[in-house]
Amino acid sequence: MRRSVLVAVIAGAVLPVVGCGGPPLQFPLPDAELYVGPDQEPLKLTAEQRQQIWRILDAQFGTPDQPKVPDPIKEIPGFKTERLVEGGRAYRKLCMHCHGLDGDGDGPTAPFLNPRPRDYRPGVFKFTSTAVGAKPTWDDLHYTLVRGAPGTAMPSFRAYPEETLAALVDYVIYLSVRGQVERLLAATLTEFDELADEDIEDAITLVAGQWKAAPGAVVQPDSDKAPFTMESVKRGRELFLASDKGNCAACHGESGRGDGPSAEVDPNTGQPMRDYWGFRIRPTDLTTGLLRGGRRPIDIYRRIHTGVKGTPMPGQAGNLSSDEIWDLVNFVLYLPYQGAQARASE
């Protein structure tokens, strides 16, 4: 890295001009203070640095209605470049009003929603089948589109043709990859005051590699699912309450209503619970049955095993065996029925 400064892209390129047909659709410049994660100072960019990064991204990734990707990105499993134009059209019609033109989660309807729409640019997705630190698979994002996120404003897109869903998944990956490269370039530029060809290549290769590795990081249980019996539910409840095991009750409460002693304040920091994107967050009320990551047993298994990425909920793979996780799954599945009985008696 750091051997040659880009000339054609950074110094020689200019922003597109407005033609007779009106201004072309363009991605916005990077934020002047680019958010890179919780408890980290934002990357502060000058106007010139923002223009430099914009030009590079424009050269590498194109525009919203004429998207393109560098070769390493084309190797992401399931991803198809030829679907991006159609995916962009569908995204602007169905998703942009919440998730924003560049996937920043700040579309015109976003301020009115709780929880806020996902910001795709950091490449962090809450509900995946993959291990800690791994990107979602193509199938993970497709599954989210099909089921939606119950309890949020994110609907199911099950009624749309499969071709539309596939194109949307590709476009979300495109926006996420673009946003991750943007952050890597900004970090390099703020540290070294210039960008070399190798910096761009390295950023693209690194991000592509993370996404290509995702299918190999899918969490597969070490044992078969425990039958749904009251014996299994009882074992799961004991694990749910045990402070030296799952300790789920610390946040979710003894009854699973999301009202545990650590529900609002992080015991490690003394600060309000926040997610990766800086928004206040509360533990899920498990008695409602509204599980945003899906209600299939395997979905719940993976939430317990890995945690919920981008949130304070940790994974329990190091604390619980596969059989114990399955017992917890059965208890979580039982909680809505137990909760309904409790509410009926109130």
Side-chain angles (χ1 to χ4, degrees):
M1 295 177 67
R2 320 268 356 107
R3 295 201 190 106
S4 62
V5 180
L6 290 172
V7 176
V9 174
I10 296 179
V14 295
L15 291 174
V17 296
V18 177
C20 59
L25 190 60
Q26 298 287 353
F27 286 115
L29 292 172
D31 299 333
E33 292 191 358
L34 196 60
Y35 178 80
V36 290
D39 304 323
Q40 298 186 52
E41 290 296 320
L43 298 174
K44 296 183 179 181
L45 301 172
T46 67
E48 181 181 356
Q49 289 172 330
R50 295 169 71 197
Q51 290 280 354
Q52 289 179 0
I53 295 171
W54 185 93
R55 291 178 180 124
I56 294 169
L57 294 175
D58 183 67
Q60 296 290 337
F61 291 94
T63 64
D65 49 4
Q66 294 183 340
K68 60 182 180 179
V69 292
D71 287 340
I73 307 301
K74 298 175 183 178
E75 300 172 3
I76 295 174
F79 180 86
K80 295 187 182 299
T81 308
E82 58 268 26
R83 293 192 294 230
L84 284 180
V85 171
E86 176 57 31
R89 293 194 192 102
Y91 178 87
R92 290 188 291 278
K93 178 181 178 181
L94 301 171
C95 314
M96 186 178 72
H97 61 95
C98 287
H99 291 283
L101 179 63
D102 62 345
D104 66 353
D106 197 25
T109 59
F112 306 100
L113 302 178
N114 184 21
R116 291 285 291 246
R118 181 69 56 249
D119 179 355
Y120 302 131
R121 298 173 302 169
V124 178
F125 293 80
K126 286 185 177 181
F127 307 116
T128 78
S129 64
T130 53
V132 175
K135 299 300 177 190
T137 65
W138 191 97
D139 288 336
D140 288 336
L141 300 181
H142 182 273
Y143 180 48
T144 298
L145 280 177
V146 169
R147 64 174 168 77
T152 78
M154 172 73 182
S156 165
F157 290 86
R158 187 188 304 270
Y160 286 88
E162 176 56 33
E163 308 84 69
T164 300
L165 297 184
L168 277 173
V169 172
D170 290 339
Y171 199 76
V172 168
I173 292 175
Y174 161 77
L175 290 176
S176 183
V177 167
R178 183 185 182 278
Q180 291 169 260
V181 172
E182 176 185 68
R183 279 157 172 69
L184 289 173
L185 295 180
T188 301
L189 189 56
T190 54
E191 182 175 357
F192 295 103
D193 296 323
E194 65 176 17
L195 286 169
D197 292 314
E198 290 177 348
D199 296 326
I200 299 172
E201 294 171 4
D202 288 349
I204 291 169
T205 300
L206 175 62
V207 173
Q210 292 173 340
W211 283 86
K212 287 190 288 186
V218 171
V219 172
Q220 299 292 357
D222 294 330
S223 60
D224 294 335
K225 180 187 177 302
F228 187 87
T229 64
M230 290 311 299
E231 289 76 13
S232 175
V233 169
K234 182 179 179 181
R235 292 194 300 268
R237 183 177 186 277
E238 291 171 352
L239 292 166
F240 187 89
L241 298 174
S243 59
D244 61 338
K245 280 287 189 175
N247 197 27
C248 312
C251 289
H252 290 284
E254 292 188 5
S255 62
R257 293 190 178 185
D259 56 356
S262 300
E264 299 212 18
V265 177
D266 187 332
N268 296 317
T269 66
Q271 300 297 315
M273 288 282 194
R274 295 186 183 277
D275 63 18
Y276 176 90
W277 300 268
F279 298 114
R280 290 288 299 271
I281 190 171
R282 286 188 59 87
T284 296
D285 180 349
L286 300 172
T287 68
T288 66
L290 293 174
L291 301 180
R292 296 171 186 173
R295 278 187 54 80
R296 299 180 308 178
I298 188 61
D299 297 329
I300 303 171
Y301 183 100
R302 287 167 173 159
R303 295 298 82 74
I304 297 169
H305 179 282
T306 303
V308 178
K309 297 173 182 176
T311 79
M313 179 171 167
Q316 297 294 332
N319 299 326
L320 303 176
S321 69
S322 181
D323 290 335
E324 288 175 323
I325 293 177
W326 280 127
D327 285 334
L328 257 178
V329 169
N330 283 337
F331 178 66
V332 170
L333 288 171
Y334 173 73
L335 270 172
Y337 302 100
Q338 176 180 279
Q341 294 171 352
R343 284 189 289 272
S345 64
E346 290 178 350

